[in-house]
Amino acid sequence: MAELWVVLQEQEGLPPEYNQEVLAEAQEVAVQHAERLQLCAVQLRAPFSPSAEASIEEAFRTVIPERLYVLQHPALERYTTEGYVAALRWLLRERTPVLIVTSATANGQDWAPRLAAQLGLPFVARCLRFSLEQDALSSLRALYGGRAYVQTRTRLQRQPALVTFAPGTRGTPPASRSQARRWPEIITYELPLPIEEFSLRLQSLAIEAPAAEEVELEAAEKIVAGGRGVGREGFAEIATFARLLGAAVGASRVATDRGWVEPERQIGATGKSVSPRLYIACGISGAAQHTSGIREAQTIIAINP
Ligand SMILES: Cc1cc2nc3c(=O)[nH]c(=O)nc-3n(C[C@H](O)[C@H](O)[C@H](O)COP(=O)(O)OP(=O)(O)OC[C@H]3O[C@@H](n4cnc5c(N)ncnc54)[C@H](O)[C@@H]3O)c2cc1C
């Protein structure tokens, strides 16, 4: 049976639901495909990696693929661009899936286009939705910070295609309550690649996280936003609250127009489109021009009279 791969992300601190939502989306695509595709997950790890079992349990909390490929190599202890590219290139020599999907996280956006470019494969970045029809890949993507959408159709010419899926688009699927949870067939490959094959020219020396309130709004997991109702003085409290919560600060246009916060903090039709897991709107009425920027927020709490 033809295969659809979901490459799991193992980045430290990465919310595991990013893997889960890609698995859920891919499962739908696999089932709807005319010839029914076999959903396979791919995990890259170092042999004897202590967190491997736990991360798999977590990744398969909601959707269990039919098969799991485990690619093991000592060079895969930590994420590196070339490590992922070399390992997946090897698996692509062994097997030919129809589609390879991963979350468009920083790492996903790093290795997926490089692998596609090296092998000359079709690649579609940051999809909000995708489907396979005959020998074509249809996808929906957002442009101009979510103010326009574009539907693309890519001819595959019988080659595997790569897709990155915009994180947070689908949200965490509810945990499966089924008693009969069938564990996937696990196929482990000890990658027979010399360490030079990984040519680790790019090395990550350290990860420095910005303070939550400095995080770009588009990347924020939590946002506390203020509007006319909180007034200029209220923004000091918004900032304190955001810091306590580990959230970024956002604002309505009234607040940015009046200079209570920088214009970059404006959310809405003429501001930024955001997709946090939690959006807390304080003193914001919810005008259409504002809410159009928070359509992809998962949980919205509004505080006003
Ligand atoms: C072309 C165009 C583009 C626009 N683009 C944007 C955009 O990108 N983003 C954007 O935000 N707006 C945009 N707007 C403006 C938008 O239409 C609204 O005017 C704006 O969003 C309203 O901001 P607000 O919710 O802060 O203020 P209001 O609508 O005045 O709402 C204030 C809220 O605060 C509440 N409140 C009052 N007192 C308190 C209190 N003590 N405690 C708590 N709550 C209180 C009120 O009940 C009310 O719900 C645009 C408008 C146009 C015409």
Side-chain angles (χ1 to χ4, degrees), residues 7-249:
V7 179
L8 302 174
Q9 306 243 357
E10 296 280 342
Q11 193 185 10
E12 239 181 331
L14 179 81
E17 63 263 35
Y18 288 165
N19 286 330
Q20 290 173 35
E21 67 174 354
V22 180
L23 278 166
E25 188 75 13
Q27 188 182 45
E28 272 180 27
V29 172
V31 170
Q32 283 161 10
H33 191 254
E35 290 152 31
R36 212 184 93 65
L37 302 171
Q38 186 170 38
L39 181 66
C40 305
V42 183
Q43 188 194 35
L44 290 80
R45 69 186 193 197
F48 316 115
S49 161
S51 64
E53 300 306 324
S55 64
I56 281 298
E57 287 263 333
E58 189 59 38
F60 298 165
R61 204 153 42 89
T62 53
V63 175
I64 303 183
E66 289 160 76
R67 181 175 283 176
L68 168 65
Y69 293 117
V70 179
L71 308 185
Q72 296 199 143
H73 193 282
L76 294 172
E77 192 178 353
R78 225 170 277 115
Y79 173 82
T80 60
T81 320
E82 284 143 325
Y84 263 55
V85 170
L88 291 164
R89 202 174 46 213
W90 182 87
L91 188 62
L92 277 165
R93 266 185 237 131
E94 297 292 304
R95 319 193 63 90
T96 314
V98 178
L99 194 63
I100 306 164
V101 193
T102 200
S103 188
T105 57
N107 289 353
Q109 295 193 91
D110 180 42
W111 65 259
R114 184 180 285 235
L115 178 65
Q118 274 194 10
L119 300 179
L121 300 178
F123 169 61
V124 187
R126 287 191 78 83
C127 293
L128 302 173
R129 220 180 294 142
F130 58 91
S131 62
L132 284 164
E133 294 135 28
Q134 285 148 10
D135 196 34
L137 169 71
S138 297
S139 61
L140 181 73
R141 301 172 58 213
L143 295 179
Y144 307 119
R147 274 174 223 121
Y149 293 92
V150 62
Q151 220 150 9
T152 59
R153 200 174 145 79
T154 311
R155 280 189 52 208
L156 301 182
Q157 296 174 312
R158 299 185 191 288
Q159 295 190 93
L162 282 99
V163 162
T164 57
F165 187 67
T169 302
R170 201 185 155 109
T172 318
S176 164
R177 291 176 191 279
S178 160
Q179 295 298 314
R181 279 164 60 84
R182 200 177 44 79
W183 207 237
E185 174 196 9
I186 300 177
I187 300 178
T188 303
Y189 293 106
E190 304 292 339
L191 298 184
L193 298 172
I195 200 92
E196 309 80 65
E197 181 96 10
F198 288 84
S199 66
L200 304 174
R201 282 171 298 166
L202 301 175
Q203 287 190 25
S204 160
L205 300 182
I207 297 175
E208 255 181 55
E213 69 266 27
E214 291 167 16
V215 169
E216 295 284 334
L217 281 173
E218 293 96 326
E221 295 255 306
K222 297 179 210 157
I223 296 175
V224 179
R228 195 199 309 265
V230 300
R232 180 188 291 277
E233 296 71 33
F235 265 89
E237 282 174 55
I238 295 273
T240 309
F241 181 36
R243 204 167 304 125
L244 284 172
L245 214 62
V249 173

Side-chain angles (χ1 to χ4, degrees), residues 232 235 253-263:
R232 180 188 291 277
F235 265 89
R253 179 155 150 187
V254 170
T256 53
D257 278 358
R258 294 182 176 203
W260 299 344
V261 276
E262 323 82 274

Side-chain angles (χ1 to χ4, degrees), residues 227-229 252-254 266-271 283-285 289-290 304-305:
R228 195 199 309 265
S252 73
R253 179 155 150 187
V254 170
Q266 184 187 318
I267 292 167
T270 44
I284 294 179
S285 64
Q289 292 88 353
H290 185 78
N304 62 32

